[in-house]
Amino acid sequence: REWRSWYAREESQIQEEAPAKGDEAPAEGSTSASSSSESLGATGGDSGYTTVMLRNIPNKYTREMLVKQLNQDFKGRFDFVYLPIDFKNKCNVGYGFVNFRTSASCDEFIARYDGVDVRKCLPGLNSKKVAGVTPARVQGLEENVRRLRTGPVMNELVNHPEWMPLLLDDRGEAMPFPMPDHPAPAPKLKRRARGEEHVGARGW
C-alpha cells in the first residue's frame, strides 16, 4: 500500500540522515538504546532543534497516553504531536514526532527522555525499552503540517480521528488538524499478467 511505502521511505531517510550512529530502535524486550545527547546539544549548548523523533515507544501506547505524559512537564510548550500508526495492526510503529515552541523546551525534553527507561518516562505499560531522541528530518510546525496534509497517509488518517496528528495551543488545548485541500493521489497498481501477483504488492 502507498502509506506503507511512505512510512518505509521516511524511516529509511531518518536512519540515513540522523547525526548519531547506531540509533535504530531495539526490538521489543531490548534493554538498551544509543544515546544521541551529544549530537543534539544536550550537553549544555542550544541544539537549535524544535522537532524531535521519540523512539522506542511501546507499540500499545496511544496518542492520548503520550500527550498526557508530555503535559506533565511540557504543557503549553509543544504544539504538534504525531504518533504514526500501522493501520493493519492498529498500533503505533514504535516512534513519534513532537514539535516544541522553543529549542530550549526541546533541549529540556531531550535531557528528560533520551536514554531513559521507558517505564520511567512513558509509564503505563510494562516495557523494557529505553527511549531515544533524535532530531526529526522535518523541522518546525508549519513544515510538518504541510508534509502530512499532502502525503498519502492522510487518506487513511481522515477515517480515524484518534490517529490524526494533533495540534495544541499555548494552553495545551487540542486544535483540529487542517484537512488537505485536495486528496492525495490514490496508489497506482500495475496490471498483472494472468496468474501473477500485482507488482508492488510486496517489497515495500
Side-chain angles (χ1 to χ4, degrees), residues 54 69-70 74 109-116 121-122 131-133:
L54 177 61
Q69 185 62 26
L70 291 173
F74 298 94
F109 173 80
I110 293 163
R112 287 177 178 265
Y113 281 75
D114 189 43
V116 176
C121 65
L122 297 173
V133 184

Side-chain angles (χ1 to χ4, degrees), residues 1 7 16 45 53 59 80 82 93 111 114 123 135 142 156 189:
R1 291 187 178 185
Y7 277 158
E16 289 174 3
M53 180 185 193
N59 297 108
F80 171 86
Y82 178 44
V93 296
D114 189 43
E142 290 185 7
E156 296 279 352
L189 293 176

Side-chain angles (χ1 to χ4, degrees):
R1 291 187 178 185
E2 186 69 15
W3 64 266
R4 291 189 175 186
S5 299
W6 189 81
Y7 277 158
R9 288 195 301 270
E10 288 301 302
E11 180 68 12
S12 175
Q13 290 171 332
I14 288 163
Q15 290 177 355
E16 289 174 3
E17 298 182 25
K21 294 183 178 180
D23 197 43
E24 293 82 359
E28 185 73 46
S30 171
T31 57
S32 64
S34 0
S35 173
S36 52
S37 297
E38 274 189 30
S39 63
L40 290 172
T43 53
D46 187 335
S47 70
Y49 295 109
T50 61
T51 311
V52 292
M53 180 185 193
L54 177 61
R55 293 177 176 270
N56 300 335
I57 299 172
N59 297 108
K60 298 300 183 182
Y61 225 72
T62 66
R63 184 190 66 181
E64 285 66 30
M65 292 171 70
L66 180 59
V67 170
K68 181 179 179 180
Q69 185 62 26
L70 291 173
N71 275 337
Q72 291 191 16
D73 296 306
F74 298 94
K75 188 172 184 177
R77 294 199 279 163
F78 62 98
D79 51 20
F80 171 86
V81 173
Y82 178 44
L83 189 62
I85 297 295
D86 181 325
F87 300 125
K88 180 179 179 181
N89 297 320
K90 298 182 179 181
C91 60
N92 78 69
V93 296
Y95 57 85
F97 300 92
V98 184
N99 185 71
F100 292 88
R101 296 182 182 277
T102 67
S103 57
S105 293
C106 185
D107 290 345
E108 183 180 338
F109 173 80
I110 293 163
R112 287 177 178 265
Y113 281 75
D114 189 43
V116 176
D117 191 324
V118 162
R119 284 174 291 189
K120 294 181 180 179
C121 65
L122 297 173
L125 297 174
N126 187 24
S127 173
K128 296 181 180 180
K129 291 183 177 182
V130 175
V133 184
T134 57
R137 184 176 62 86
V138 178
Q139 288 290 316
L141 174 62
E142 290 185 7
E143 187 60 18
N144 273 284
V145 170
R146 183 201 64 77
R147 173 179 155 277
L148 283 165
R149 285 185 70 204
T150 58
V153 70
M154 190 58 68
N155 291 335
E156 296 279 352
L157 292 177
V158 293
N159 299 316
H160 298 277
E162 71 278 14
W163 296 341
M164 287 282 287
L166 193 65
L167 302 180
L168 302 102
D169 63 21
D170 56 7
R171 296 170 299 173
E173 299 294 330
M175 300 186 296
F177 191 84
M179 292 294 101
D181 296 327
H182 305 286
K188 295 180 180 180
L189 293 176
K190 296 181 180 180
R191 290 187 177 276
R192 62 177 179 175
R194 186 182 300 273
E196 294 181 357
E197 295 183 355
H198 279 296
V199 175
R202 295 183 180 180
W204 56 265

